Structure formats: structure tokens, C-alpha cells
Amino acid sequence: KQEVTQIPAALSVPEGENLVLNCSFTDSAIYNLQWFRQDPGKGLTSLLLIQSSQREQTSGRLNASLDKSSGRSTLYIAASQPGDSATYLCAVRPLGGGGADGLTFGKGTHLIIQP
Amino acid sequence: DTGVSQNPRHKITKRGQNVTFRCDPISEHNRLYWYRQTLGQGPEFLTYFQNEAQLEKSRLLSDRFSAERPKGSFSTLEIQRTEQGDSAMYLCASSLDPGWADTQYFGPGTRLTVL
């Protein structure tokens, strides 16, 4: 059974710092990995999706990397801003047929950027 | 608004009652997913549809849960004889298959409280 772990569980840093969020998964047979952001009481917003054949994806101040063989992904946030405060979730989609397409999520990293 | 919508946003019910939630996916998306999220946890996959066919169900989806997607458009999730343990945020997502990007887009969720 796939398990996804996110470290740290919570992080509080001053505005302007660069930071790294970590995600690890136990089964490397994945189709893709997706990073989401969730604001309190809200749904999820997709940030970046990395296919299993890719090594990284970038969007603005965000960069996500994937090392499938070691079961790790990182989300790098540059020049953090108070508006980046949210919970960041990592999710993997399994590889395989038969419709096994449900994402497996980690518990998230709760990020607070202090003004 | 062309995103995923869910109704109602909040539902409070008494134990033993039946509840039904609705999800309207992004119009051209043929895949629709249901997830459940409890406080402090990542979302957990429940079931998914490709068009009107329900292709996968998680073991979390007990006999009291049923989901439908008539005509491959909107979907409903019904919980019969609700229990306090059913209290959670129920999230719906949609995606376009096949698609290289395969991003799942999430709705705002329905928060269920069972008294």
C-alpha cells in the first residue's frame, strides 16, 4: 500500500526566506506526483504536476523536483510572502491499469510566513 | 465560473439520517473523483467515474455510501444512516483523460457534521 509522508508537519518562517518542503512515498510505481495548496476550510488548488518521466517543474516562485527511484519530491518556494501561508499537500497517482487512479495524499505541511 | 462546484457547502445532520451531496465538474472533464478529508489529514480517495461508469471504489466506501454519475455529467454522493464518524469534508475533483497534464481540479468541498 502506497504511503506518502510530508516533512515538516508545520513550518513558520519570516517573510522573504527561501524554503523547502519535503515529500516521500513508499512505492515508486507512480504515474505522476502533484503538489497542492489548501487554505483553511477550502478546497485544494493544484500548484505543480510532475510526470514520472520528468525531474522537475517550475511555476513562478515555485519549483518542484521528483526523484522517483528514491521516492522523494521537494517543493521549493523562493522569496516567501505572507500570502503563501497555507497547507501544502503532496499526492501521487499510482501507475497501472484497471482504473487505479485515486491520488494518495500526505498529511500536508502547514506553512506560516510571518510578515 | 468554470471550476468544480459542490453543493451544499455545509450540511449538519443527526445521526441516522441520510444525506446527499452534489458535484458539478468542469464541463469537458470526463473523470470525476470523490475524496474525504478529516481534520489534520490529507484527503482520502473514495471513488471515481470515467464518464458515467464507476471504475474504482476504495475500501473506505462502506455499503452505506453510494455514488452515481448519470449521463456522465454531475455526480451525487449519498450516505445512508449517517454516523458521527462520517463527519468530514467531502471533496470532489475532475480531470480530463487522456491527458498528459492529468491535473485533478478540486471543488470547495462539502463539510458534513453529524450530531
Side-chain angles (χ1 to χ4, degrees), chain A residues 4-62:
Chain A
V4 179
T5 303
Q6 291 188 245
I7 294 173
L11 183 63
S12 180
V13 300
E15 180 179 5
E17 284 201 6
N18 302 325
L19 50 98
V20 175
L21 307 182
N22 296 292
C23 170
S24 62
F25 46 95
T26 55
D27 186 348
S28 62
I30 64 169
Y31 188 75
N32 59 42
L33 182 145
Q34 201 164 352
W35 282 93
F36 294 89
R37 167 189 173 134
Q38 186 172 32
D39 293 288
K42 302 287 181 66
L44 281 65
T45 300
S46 178
L47 298 173
L48 290 164
L49 181 145
I50 311 176
Q51 295 294 346
S52 61
S53 58
Q54 297 176 322
R55 298 285 293 186
E56 66 178 326
Q57 283 287 333
T58 297
S59 176
R61 295 182 294 107
L62 304 179

Side-chain angles (χ1 to χ4, degrees), chain B residues 30-98:
Chain B
N30 52 1
R31 287 193 169 185
L32 187 148
Y33 304 79
W34 285 99
Y35 293 85
R36 180 175 71 185
Q37 186 178 28
T38 54
L39 199 61
Q41 304 294 315
E44 295 172 294
F45 170 74
L46 293 178
T47 188
Y48 102 96
F49 293 83
Q50 176 141 340
N51 300 311
E52 66 276 9
Q54 188 172 15
L55 294 187
E56 187 185 2
K57 292 187 207 179
S58 158
R59 279 180 236 126
L60 294 174
L61 211 67
S62 76
D63 292 344
R64 296 185 296 106
F65 288 69
S66 62
E68 294 182 344
R69 192 183 182 197
K71 303 178 184 177
S73 56
F74 71 91
S75 176
T76 58
L77 177 68
E78 181 183 17
I79 308 175
Q80 296 183 325
R81 305 181 304 281
T82 52
E83 302 172 356
Q84 287 184 327
D86 296 331
S87 295
M89 175 80 88
Y90 290 83
L91 294 163
C92 174
S94 70
S95 71
L96 184 62
D97 173 71

Side-chain angles (χ1 to χ4, degrees), chain A residues 55-93:
Chain A
R55 298 285 293 186
E56 66 178 326
Q57 283 287 333
T58 297
S59 176
R61 295 182 294 107
L62 304 179
N63 175 276
S65 67
L66 173 65
D67 184 342
K68 194 177 71 162
S69 61
S70 68
R72 296 177 187 276
S73 176
T74 61
L75 178 66
Y76 176 82
I77 302 177
S80 58
Q81 303 171 358
D84 294 331
S85 298
T87 296
Y88 290 80
L89 293 154
C90 165
V92 296
R93 179 183 165 185

